[in-house]
Amino acid sequence: MPLLPAAAALSAVLVAAVPAQAAAIPGFPVPKVYGTAFQPDPGHDFTKGLRPRKDGVLRGWITHVDSGRVEYEPIRWVKGRKTKGYFVGPPEGDVTAYASPVAETVVFLSAAGCSGRRSATTVNEKGLGVKRCSRKELLSRAAKAERPALITVYRGEIVKLQEIYTP
């Protein structure tokens, strides 16, 4: 019996060690990293201006940064003839785009390390970034160029962005 209070205390300490937001984010299904079709967003009315995407993970890239709020769009992989391939966004004139604030506690996992140099590649076997970098680095990098990523939206905010390595 004396072990029960000790186990409860240890459990409380372990739960407190996990950031509150990270523990609260559901495990959303992840799309194919190099999927060749745009992900649908049933029920989203794109005629009502830029709004957050529904909760979940989008294969996309950030197209505009403005004071911690970003605009982003879905992307798909196009197999190349001379290269392995590349990502493309919706065609010109297509209004498939979203806008969300970036959470202060966003998890940014870079494929190019925090320095952003391609020589510092930090990816897993799926081609996804694994090096955790700051929110400031995420916003700075996103303002310079479109970078393919898995973008997790939860409660209207971007809470995780995991870069996709492009060969």
Side-chain angles (χ1 to χ4, degrees):
M1 278 300 202
L3 293 177
L4 189 57
L10 178 60
S11 175
V13 169
L14 291 175
V15 168
V18 176
Q21 188 173 12
I25 300 171
F28 297 115
V30 178
K32 288 184 178 179
V33 176
Y34 297 96
T36 56
F38 292 115
Q39 290 171 254
D41 192 4
H44 191 95
D45 187 352
F46 293 99
T47 65
K48 293 187 177 183
L50 294 172
R51 297 176 305 140
R53 179 170 162 57
K54 68 179 179 189
D55 289 355
V57 181
L58 173 73
R59 181 184 52 253
W61 54 30
I62 294 172
T63 58
H64 182 73
V65 177
D66 185 23
S67 302
R69 181 176 181 267
V70 299
E71 295 175 14
Y72 51 103
E73 64 186 19
I75 58 174
R76 66 182 182 88
W77 183 253
V78 176
K79 294 178 182 176
R81 291 189 177 125
K82 295 182 181 181
T83 65
K84 290 185 179 190
Y86 53 94
F87 283 101
V88 296
E92 190 170 335
D94 187 311
V95 295
T96 307
Y98 309 93
S100 297
V102 177
E104 290 295 326
T105 57
V106 67
V107 174
F108 172 40
L109 300 173
S110 173
C114 295
S115 67
R117 292 189 309 255
R118 291 190 62 77
S119 62
T121 304
T122 54
V123 296
N124 63 16
E125 66 284 349
K126 294 180 182 177
L128 295 171
V130 295
K131 177 66 176 168
R132 186 161 184 171
C133 302
S134 70
R135 178 180 188 271
K136 181 179 176 183
E137 180 63 26
L138 165 62
L139 294 173
S140 170
R141 204 175 292 181
K144 294 176 187 169
E146 296 168 343
R147 303 183 66 97
L150 295 180
I151 302 168
T152 303
V153 177
Y154 184 55
R155 296 183 176 162
E157 287 188 317
I158 294 175
V159 294
K160 181 178 178 184
L161 189 138
Q162 189 169 18
E163 286 183 333
I164 301 171
Y165 174 74
T166 51

